[in-house]
Amino acid sequence: MRIGFFDSGIGGITVLHQALKYLPNEDYIFYADTLHVPYGEKPKEEVRDYIFRAADFMANQGVKALVIACNTATSIAVDDLRKKYDFPILGIEPAVKPAVQSCKGKRKKVLVLATSLTLKEEKFHNLVKSIDHHDIVESLPLPGLVEFAESFEFREEVVVPYLREKVGALNLEQYGTIVLGCTHFPYFENSVREIFPEKVDIISGSVGTAKNLKRILEARNQMNDGTGDIVYFQSGSKVVDKETLVSYKKLMGRLDELEL
């Protein structure tokens, strides 16, 4: 049985990339809802419908676990998905807790970069409220990064000016940790580092999700002896086009180069 990974687009590959490090002997299905990407700027109920369609598809593939490798989808639907299906469903959320812990005593703030919908959701606000006892967490929506990623636009000469414009009103020296709160954003870590002070930490929730996935499969005695094979789907259609498969391979290579 394979492990399912789901995202609105290619962002979830950043989480799958981590899972391959911790679980190299598993086989995977990766589902990108390319017909409806991006999720982060769409109405909540519309996005919920897309998520449940994708989850139904993955359930019919017989996955033994499903990773919602999308911060927006996690914030909207992970609790309801867990009520519907009997296999483990893991989500991903902005790494606010480790960010706050790392900034304690430094007199520095945390900046969460994410989509508008993630930052609006009650799940995110409850997360911050439960952890941020000293009012050091701030947030900034960056929908343009999702669009760049889906267009395979990673050139710093394009991305960095966009980032500079978005953070123009902020005092960058006051931040100790930047949280990449969207799975599309790790592709741009180099560009983010370009605009923030050198000592700023940049983190995401991908590693924690991969470790949790391994822990759950071990506890359920569901570890496989696979090869790390990945079958890709786009909105329910299996990807067989060589050009698209090569592009996914290049994304994995980019993450290797970034050492993520």
Side-chain angles (χ1 to χ4, degrees), residues 4 34 59 91 98 101 122 169 171 178 182 188 201 208 215 220 223 235:
T34 51
Q101 289 175 339
E122 183 179 356
N171 176 8
I178 307 301
C182 171
F188 305 101
D201 294 324
R215 180 186 61 77
R220 293 169 65 94
M223 300 288 281
S235 299

Side-chain angles (χ1 to χ4, degrees), residues 12 31 92 109 193 219 222 236 243:
Y31 183 114
I92 185 168
K109 292 187 175 183
R193 289 194 182 281
Q222 287 187 312
E243 184 177 345

Side-chain angles (χ1 to χ4, degrees), residues 24-146:
N25 297 323
E26 296 291 335
D27 294 322
Y28 300 89
I29 293 174
F30 183 82
Y31 183 114
D33 193 11
T34 51
L35 289 180
H36 306 114
V37 68
Y39 281 177
E41 308 304 308
K42 288 184 169 63
K44 178 178 176 178
E45 290 308 312
E46 181 181 335
V47 173
R48 276 180 59 87
D49 182 55
Y50 298 148
I51 296 166
F52 273 86
R53 283 192 223 170
D56 284 343
F57 178 88
M58 300 290 260
N60 289 332
Q61 300 300 308
V63 296
K64 63 180 179 182
L66 176 59
V67 178
I68 308 300
C70 172
N71 294 84
T72 299
T74 297
S75 64
I76 290 175
V78 71
D79 293 335
D80 291 334
L81 288 170
R82 287 170 177 156
K83 294 174 185 176
K84 181 174 181 179
Y85 301 102
D86 58 3
F87 48 79
I89 295 179
L90 293 81
I92 185 168
E93 63 183 17
V96 176
K97 184 175 182 179
V100 169
Q101 289 175 339
S102 72
C103 286
K104 280 183 179 179
K106 294 181 181 180
R107 295 183 180 179
K108 295 286 187 178
K109 292 187 175 183
V110 173
L111 182 63
V112 181
L113 310 177
T115 66
S116 299
L117 194 49
T118 293
L119 297 177
K120 289 176 184 175
E121 275 302 294
E122 183 179 356
K123 190 175 184 68
F124 174 73
H125 289 283
N126 288 341
L127 172 66
V128 173
K129 185 178 179 179
S130 68
I131 297 167
D132 184 20
H133 304 303
H134 299 286
D135 195 27
I136 64 170
V137 177
E138 297 181 357
S139 62
L140 180 69
L142 293 176
L145 289 188
V146 178

